[in-house]
């Protein structure tokens, strides 16, 4: 069965500091991995994805994520946080076995302090 | 502009009063899905549709119905809403590049 764990309910970081939002997953076969962001009163927006190839993927708004197969992780990172990055972040996984079902983590709320 | 449009955005209703949340997309995507978002639980899939007239249950389908009579529309029907269906609902389509494209959400309160 597919599952996603986001071990931190909340991450606090000062503006200008690097940020990491953690995600680990479990899936049969090779995974498709995604990060989505949700701003208040808005729908989820796609940030980045890993399908195949380079383990470091770059996405919108300066975010990047590193796929680590041995640790089954896909942590979201940004070198220098902005106050406007404060939002709810969701990690998601889909098996590449032909189906389209996407499983989401519980979400991590990121607070960036000025 | 590519859009997934949900209506209503906010609704307060009473137990047992049938309601429908509409979802419409203008991207010609085949796959559409409904999710509910609850604190600490992330998003859970209610129903999905691979194409017109093809629908199937997700992880939490109890108390919900859907239909897909045309490609652009995928309404979510609550025949007899109960308080445990109070939630934030999202409709999503699957883009040709593999990521989900979400509507703005519908916040439903059942009293």
């Amino acid at each position: 069965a597919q599952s996603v764990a986001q071990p931190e309910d909340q991450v606090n970081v000062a503006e200008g500091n690097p940020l990491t939002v953690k995600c680990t997953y479990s899936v049969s076969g090779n995974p498709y991995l995604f990060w989505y962001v949700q701003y208040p009163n808005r729908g989820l927006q796609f940030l980045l994805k890993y399908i195949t190839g380079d383990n470091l993927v770059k996405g919108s708004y300066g975010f990047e994520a590193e796929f680590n197969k041995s640790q089954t992780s896909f942590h979201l990172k940004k070198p220098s946080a902005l106050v406007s990055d404060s939002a709810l972040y969701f990690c998601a996984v889909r098996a590449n076995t032909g189906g389209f079902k996407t499983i989401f983590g519980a979400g991590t709320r990121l607070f960036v302090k000025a | 502009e590519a859009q997934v449009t949900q209506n209503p955005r906010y609704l307060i209703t009473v137990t047992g009063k049938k309601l429908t949340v509409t979802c419409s997309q203008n991207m010609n995507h085949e796959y559409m899905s409904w999710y509910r978002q609850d604190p600490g639980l992330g998003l859970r899939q209610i129903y999905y549709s691979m194409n017109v007239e093809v629908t199937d249950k997700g992880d939490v389908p109890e108390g919900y119905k859907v239909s897909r009579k045309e490609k652009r529309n995928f309404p979510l029907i609550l025949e007899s809403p109960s308080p445990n269906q109070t939630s934030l609902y999202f409709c999503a389509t699957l883009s040709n590049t593999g990521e989900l494209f979400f509507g703005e959400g519908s916040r439903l309160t059942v009293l």
Side-chain angles (χ1 to χ4, degrees), chain B residues 27-95:
Chain B
M27 295 167 282
N28 204 38
H29 290 162
E30 293 183 347
Y31 182 95
M32 298 185 73
S33 182
W34 276 102
Y35 293 87
R36 59 178 289 173
Q37 181 183 0
D38 301 290
L41 297 177
L43 276 76
R44 293 178 292 168
Q45 190 179 54
I46 303 170
Y47 268 94
Y48 65 95
S49 170
M50 301 286 284
N51 212 326
V52 176
E53 302 292 1
V54 181
T55 64
D56 208 346
K57 297 177 181 179
D59 296 317
V60 289
E62 296 78 17
Y64 305 95
K65 285 174 56 176
V66 293
S67 68
R68 187 92 181 271
K69 293 185 171 61
E70 46 191 346
K71 200 170 189 177
R72 64 182 291 120
N73 295 323
F74 189 45
L76 179 70
I77 303 155
L78 286 73
E79 293 271 3
S80 183
S82 62
N84 65 10
Q85 292 178 297
T86 293
S87 188
L88 179 58
Y89 292 87
F90 288 101
C91 180
T93 68
L94 187 67
S95 73

